[in-house]
Amino acid sequence: MKKIVSIATSLLLVLVIALCAFLFIGKMNGGKTVLLGNEIMVVLSGSMSPTFNTGSIVGVGPVSYEQIKQGDIITFKDPEGRTITHRVLEITENGLVTKGDANDAKDTALVTKDRVIGEVQFSVPLVGYLIEFVKSKVGMVVFLGVPGLYLIVSQIWKLLRMIKEKEAAAN
């Protein structure tokens, strides 16, 4: 049983370190986290439900404006500078007409070439909640502080046990 707990704890620790490293590298890249050539973004609204829901992550890969087709899901900046991920309904001379799958109305502004970030390549449900939590102050404490404290306490415990064993062997 001790062996199973030890292995499980080690795996959890490696997972936590990997997640923190992944997010730290994203912070160093100006807030852009890239995985396999795709920028990872957290879905913050339900406008694309049921395709992907709030709390999902999407991988947004580069795409040229000319390659975008009707039905593609793209990520772009709106005129106010917010990052939006919606489906292309129509391609016009002046830009792309987009709409969130769950929205009743089309987006008011056309998406022009200079505002396209990329095309959604994949999505993973619920992982965004974890990423947003880890980015928070409480999340940092939980994901960095708790494993760190565990490592310190477990090493002190092992050291004390070794000292006791040496003392018992000496007597």
Side-chain angles (χ1 to χ4, degrees):
M1 185 65 170
K2 280 185 179 181
K3 192 89 164 166
I4 293 172
V5 171
S6 177
I7 291 170
T9 304
S10 297
L11 287 174
L12 182 62
L13 189 59
V14 167
L15 180 66
V16 167
I17 291 169
L19 180 61
C20 289
F22 182 69
L23 293 174
F24 180 72
I25 290 168
K27 286 272 190 203
M28 290 178 57
N29 290 335
K32 291 184 179 183
T33 305
V34 179
L35 178 66
L36 303 172
N38 294 292
E39 186 176 349
I40 305 301
M41 298 182 178
V42 177
V43 177
L44 300 174
S45 78
S47 68
M48 282 300 293
S49 185
T51 306
F52 36 82
N53 295 312
T54 304
S56 298
I57 59 167
V58 291
V60 178
V63 65
S64 71
Y65 186 80
E66 293 74 24
Q67 290 176 310
I68 297 172
K69 304 178 298 300
Q70 184 178 350
D72 287 349
I73 300 173
I74 62 167
T75 300
F76 57 92
K77 293 283 186 183
D78 74 359
E80 288 83 43
R82 296 175 297 196
T83 303
I84 309 288
T85 299
H86 281 170
R87 189 177 303 277
V88 176
L89 291 183
E90 185 181 342
I91 300 171
T92 70
E93 283 183 21
N94 298 326
L96 307 171
V97 177
T98 56
K99 175 183 165 299
D101 290 355
N103 295 349
D104 292 332
K106 299 174 185 174
D107 297 334
T108 54
L110 293 175
V111 179
T112 54
K113 184 177 186 173
D114 60 319
R115 293 194 290 123
V116 173
I117 296 171
E119 182 180 2
V120 173
Q121 304 297 316
F122 64 88
S123 68
V124 181
L126 304 174
V127 175
Y129 288 123
L130 178 64
I131 290 173
E132 289 300 308
F133 176 69
V134 171
K135 286 181 180 179
S136 72
K137 288 180 183 178
V138 172
M140 285 289 190
V141 168
V142 169
F143 273 82
L144 292 176
V146 171
L149 185 62
Y150 168 77
L151 282 174
I152 292 168
V153 170
S154 67
Q155 293 305 310
I156 291 172
W157 187 262
K158 285 180 184 178
L159 184 62
L160 291 174
R161 197 170 44 199
M162 284 175 39
I163 291 169
K164 283 184 182 180
E165 286 173 4
K166 281 191 177 191
E167 287 176 356
N171 293 333

